[in-house]
Amino acid sequence: MRSIDEITSNRRMRRNRRFEWNRRLVRENTLSLNDLIWPIFVTEGTGIVEPLATLKNVDRYSVDEAAKAAKRAFNLGIPAIAIFPNIALEKRDLTGSAVLDPDGLVNQAVRAIKLAAPDLGIITDVALDPFTSHGHDGILRDGIIVNDETVEQISRAAVVQARAGADIISCSEMMDGRVGAIRDALNEAGYNDIGILSYTAKFASAFYGPYREAVGTDQMLKGDKSTYFMDPANSDEAIYEAMLDISEGADMIMVKPGMPYLDIIRRLKDEFSMPTFAYQVSGEYAMIMAGVENGFLDEERAIMESMIGFKRAGADAIFTYFAPKVAEILQRKS
Ligand code: PBG
């Protein structure tokens, strides 16, 4: 029988793993505060900080409280925040017209957060799902999510959000032609410097459940979103989507959900060398927290491992509800 040194020709992978100092020297990827984007949920009213049943330790904030939370996030070193609204049910309609209200919840939150933390990046979203009475991301006509009319609506919404002070406009509704149309609308209104983050590869996923509760669309959504979101079985299609988004003028591209789609992040990063973000969605958060609550997972280690997985896959930044927690962990360790 051969010795191990004969088998490996004297190569021993474990030499570089013996000590923490050695592991640090050969570590290929790192996570830093610079990688974090914190999605928050806002709701009508004042003085409200309400816990969400399916997202342990995530609260929904009224605008005044959101401003305070944003300031805390900024002080923790988080670069940017993303806003998702839970608007009153009676303001929702078939076309999501409330998205155009300059004094709507999102735009109020943008203004309050800008005042509280002027150097915190603010990302808004033009998708219609929090504004429609059916929970779909686009305008529903005769059972069909109509593409071109939706794009017209969200392009106008982009201008309204830019006017409120949003720094980056994101589009999570997967309509065709939206990036180019939003670019045109922003430029026409003089917002040439406002960036576009495209949810380029957004999959029709089961992992969005808790988010839908947080924005109040869980009860109203009929059917699913598979006529506009991507099929989870596809990968080449994400390249095609990215090609179009980039040619239409996307400044950043994103893959969503995150953990089940790390391969897509890697492919897009390799193919396009663009700023590529990952969205660790609500269902991923809930899965980790369910494991933690049951005592099956070590919270800190599970969270940090999920983060480094995104970095290893090639993500430049990560949307995560864990952002404040991760920032605290990073600060403690530095
Ligand atoms: C829809 C939208 C979704 C999320 C953010 N915006 C998905 C959906 O409801 O279909 C999900 C975010 C999450 O699950 O954390 N525009």
Side-chain angles (χ1 to χ4, degrees):
M1 216 178 82
R2 291 179 300 163
S3 74
I4 295 300
D5 283 323
E6 281 167 338
I7 288 170
T8 67
S9 305
N10 291 312
R11 286 175 286 239
R12 294 217 175 225
M13 297 303 286
R14 291 183 56 191
R15 284 187 200 116
N16 276 339
R17 299 178 194 144
R18 287 174 72 211
F19 306 109
E20 176 59 11
W21 63 261
N22 201 142
R23 292 191 292 273
R24 282 170 64 203
L25 290 176
V26 301
R27 189 159 290 147
E28 298 174 38
N29 293 285
T30 50
L31 174 76
S32 85
L33 287 169
N34 303 334
D35 301 320
L36 301 173
I37 296 164
W38 186 32
I40 62 161
F41 298 109
V42 292
T43 195
E44 323 243 347
T46 48
I48 297 171
V49 178
E50 54 190 12
L52 293 162
T54 52
L55 291 171
K56 172 101 178 135
N57 300 338
V58 174
D59 296 314
R60 206 159 50 186
Y61 303 108
S62 54
V63 168
D64 55 324
E65 295 292 338
K68 289 185 216 161
K71 176 134 203 182
R72 286 196 299 275
F74 178 75
N75 290 337
L76 277 169
I78 293 171
I81 205 165
I83 303 171
F84 294 101
N86 172 51
I87 74 168
L89 294 186
E90 63 271 16
K91 291 186 187 160
R92 305 185 194 202
D93 60 21
L94 285 172
T95 63
S97 61
V99 77
L100 299 177
D101 179 0
D103 288 319
L105 193 49
V106 170
N107 302 311
Q108 278 182 30
V110 169
R111 283 192 288 267
I113 290 170
K114 263 289 165 234
L115 267 180
D119 294 321
L120 180 71
I122 303 183
I123 302 170
T124 54
D125 200 303
V126 291
L128 301 180
D129 57 298
F131 306 96
T132 54
S133 49
H134 42 73
H136 279 290
D137 292 39
I139 294 173
L140 184 65
R141 295 237 183 265
D142 303 324
I144 288 171
I145 302 301
V146 289
N147 192 89
D148 301 13
E149 196 183 340
T150 299
V151 170
E152 226 181 284
Q153 177 97 315
I154 65 174
S155 302
R156 278 192 276 147
V159 173
V160 173
Q161 291 176 356
R163 196 168 290 139
D167 299 296
I168 293 175
I169 306 297
S170 69
C171 39
S172 67
E173 65 343 284
M174 292 297 275
M175 295 297 117
D176 291 322
R178 77 260 173 80
V179 174
I182 291 171
R183 186 70 272 157
D184 287 353
L186 288 173
N187 286 4
E188 250 164 63
Y191 295 111
N192 308 58
D193 289 334
I194 299 297
I196 300 175
L197 162 61
S198 178
Y199 285 60
T200 286
K202 177 165 183 179
F203 290 86
S205 170
F207 290 96
Y208 304 141
Y211 160 93
R212 291 182 188 168
E213 186 206 340
V215 299
T217 59
D218 52 326
Q219 300 296 327
M220 51 180 60
L221 185 65
K222 297 210 178 49
D224 61 25
K225 303 191 178 182
S226 46
T227 69
Y228 46 107
F229 291 177
M230 271 184 62
D231 184 334
N234 292 356
S235 169
D236 290 344
E237 188 184 344
I239 304 277
Y240 200 169
E241 279 282 5
M243 205 179 73
L244 294 173
D245 283 0
I246 294 165
S247 69
E248 289 174 28
D251 298 283
M252 300 142 166
I253 57 178
M254 184 144 74
V255 174
K256 175 186 184 179
M259 268 167 79
Y261 299 91
L262 294 177
D263 57 319
I264 309 289
I265 299 172
R266 170 49 62 195
R267 282 194 76 185
L268 293 187
K269 189 67 194 176
D270 285 347
E271 191 80 24
F272 299 105
S273 306
M274 282 280 290
T276 306
F277 295 176
Y279 199 138
Q280 182 179 50
V281 300
S282 57
E284 299 175 65
Y285 178 97
M287 257 194 319
I288 292 175
M289 289 312 286
V292 169
E293 284 195 278
N294 280 295
F296 302 156
L297 297 177
D298 178 88
E299 182 174 17
E300 195 167 311
R301 289 188 57 205
I303 293 171
M304 295 311 263
E305 189 175 328
S306 73
M307 291 295 123
I308 204 67
F310 292 121
K311 294 302 292 178
R312 203 188 57 246
D316 296 289
I318 306 153
F319 273 60
T320 176
Y321 303 100
F322 288 121
K325 176 98 189 166
V326 170
E328 275 168 23
I329 295 170
L330 288 171
Q331 290 206 343
R332 186 168 8 99
K333 290 196 167 157
S334 66

